[in-house]
Amino acid sequence: MSIKLAMVMSEFNQAITERLLKGALTRLEHYKLPANQIPILRVPGAIEIPYAAQQLLERQNYDAIIALGAVIRGETSHYDSVCQQVSYGCQRLILDYKTPVIFGVLTTENGEQAYARSGGNHSDKGAEAVDAAMAMINMKQRLESV
């Protein structure tokens, strides 16, 4: 069976999001999915992720979309607004298109936390996003046979 994935990656906080992407691409090897066959849409910031994912879903029948980004709290309330909007947008796509949109968007208090979760000493959320996509694809396939 052929699995069709795509990724949307925010370029804001690029040092972190590139680490997330690297973790995701490396994890694809574990599932024997060629990284060069996975489209990657780059968007300016996290808030643009749902729109880009929607455009992908409207053009192709993907098994899952992986959203990668990093929202790091600053001195203003902008952080809260961005986190709410990007999570809501991704959730809405999941329900509207009945396709998993994996939320690999870090929402951290500071850069150290983001670094630790993007392949540092805490975890690799990019790799975990690929694992989540595969788990959801498998779940959806099992439900189709029920």
Side-chain angles (χ1 to χ4, degrees):
M1 179 198 121
S2 176
I3 293 174
K4 193 162 189 168
L5 292 175
M7 295 187 201
V8 178
M9 185 189 90
S10 166
E11 291 188 324
F12 198 78
N13 292 315
Q14 190 169 16
I16 300 299
T17 60
E18 288 291 343
R19 289 170 55 88
L20 292 170
L21 179 61
K22 180 181 177 191
L25 294 175
T26 300
R27 181 70 83 188
L28 289 173
E29 296 172 13
H30 170 78
Y31 294 101
K32 297 183 178 20
L33 296 172
N36 64 352
Q37 293 180 13
I38 310 293
I40 302 167
L41 282 184
R42 294 172 184 262
V43 296
I47 201 79
E48 290 82 23
I49 288 172
Y51 174 76
Q54 179 187 41
Q55 294 304 302
L56 287 166
L57 290 167
E58 287 182 357
R59 285 164 173 71
Q60 298 268 344
N61 187 23
Y62 287 100
D63 295 305
I65 305 287
I66 297 171
L68 300 174
V71 184
I72 301 171
R73 187 178 297 279
E75 296 177 2
T76 69
S77 62
H78 182 69
Y79 168 89
D80 297 316
S81 178
V82 171
C83 291
Q84 287 175 336
Q85 292 300 310
V86 71
S87 63
Y88 172 77
C90 289
Q91 181 64 31
R92 197 176 113 209
L93 291 173
I94 293 166
L95 300 174
D96 289 350
Y97 288 88
K98 297 174 180 53
T99 301
V101 177
I102 306 303
F103 195 74
V105 178
L106 299 178
T107 56
T108 62
E109 295 296 316
N110 54 54
E112 292 80 28
Q113 289 177 354
Y115 184 84
R117 286 159 178 77
S118 62
N121 62 0
H122 190 274
S123 60
D124 187 340
K125 297 299 182 186
E128 290 175 22
V130 172
D131 292 339
M134 297 305 291
M136 291 303 292
I137 291 167
N138 288 332
M139 183 213 64
K140 190 174 178 182
Q141 289 172 346
R142 285 193 316 272
L143 287 173
E144 288 170 357
S145 66
V146 174

